[in-house]
């Protein structure tokens, strides 16, 4: 499978995520026709920077389209990705518990750092 096809599939996925049909998505990017968008989504062509910029203004994750990585997830370690996946898979009560636990642990860590700094200074 070609790189262009991967980009096309991700482009179609982002369009669907925004709840837009091909006509709406093509018009939003200033494309001359839906056929141009189809050629992008089918992997025949790659979108140009003007179209990507227009879609970015709508909330499309352009980094995801190009690289396959979501903008908010770039640079995450495997452990961070697993924690994020667990959070996303949790129900509302689970998310609330994880929020509380992570806040408490972060505050505890800050206190430990401050205590260590005081010991070194004193």
């Amino acid at each position: 499978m070609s790189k262009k096809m991967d980009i096309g599939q991700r482009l179609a996925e982002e369009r669907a995520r925004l709840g837009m049909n091909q006509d709406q998505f093509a018009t939003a990017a200033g494309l001359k026709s839906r056929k141009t968008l189809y050629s992008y989504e089918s992997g025949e062509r790659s979108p140009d920077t003007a179209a990507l910029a227009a879609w970015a203004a709508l909330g499309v994750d352009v980094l995801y389209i190009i690289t396959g990585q979501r903008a908010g997830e770039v640079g995450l370690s495997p452990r961070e990705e697993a924690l994020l996946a667990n959070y996303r898979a949790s129900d509302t009560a689970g998310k609330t518990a994880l929020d509380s636990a992570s806040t408490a642990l972060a505050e505890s860590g800050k206190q430990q750092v401050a205590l260590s700094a005081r010991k070194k200074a004193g």
Side-chain angles (χ1 to χ4, degrees):
M1 190 174 288
S2 73
K3 184 75 168 170
K4 288 183 181 180
M5 183 58 127
D6 293 338
I7 288 171
Q9 289 172 337
R10 291 189 294 266
L11 181 63
E13 182 183 331
E14 281 294 280
R15 176 178 57 76
R17 183 181 65 81
L18 293 178
M20 298 178 82
N21 64 36
Q22 285 184 325
D23 287 326
Q24 294 166 326
F25 205 58
T27 299
L31 303 180
K32 293 182 181 180
S33 73
R34 186 181 68 150
K35 287 182 181 181
T36 303
L37 177 60
Y38 177 80
S39 71
Y40 295 161
E41 290 185 355
S42 66
E44 293 172 25
R45 295 177 48 200
S46 291
D48 62 22
T49 56
L52 291 170
W55 288 322
L58 295 175
V60 168
D61 186 345
V62 173
L63 182 64
Y64 174 68
I65 290 171
I66 295 169
T67 68
Q69 287 188 301
R70 293 277 176 198
E73 297 175 1
V74 174
L76 296 179
S77 70
R79 183 66 191 132
E80 290 168 328
E81 288 178 10
L83 288 168
L84 183 57
N86 289 341
Y87 180 84
R88 288 179 175 165
S90 298
D91 61 12
T92 302
K95 287 179 179 176
T96 300
L98 288 168
D99 287 341
S100 297
S102 66
T103 299
L105 290 168
E107 288 301 319
S108 174
K110 288 178 190 176
Q111 291 173 0
Q112 291 293 334
V113 168
L115 180 61
S116 178
R118 277 189 236 130
K119 285 182 181 178
K120 287 182 183 179

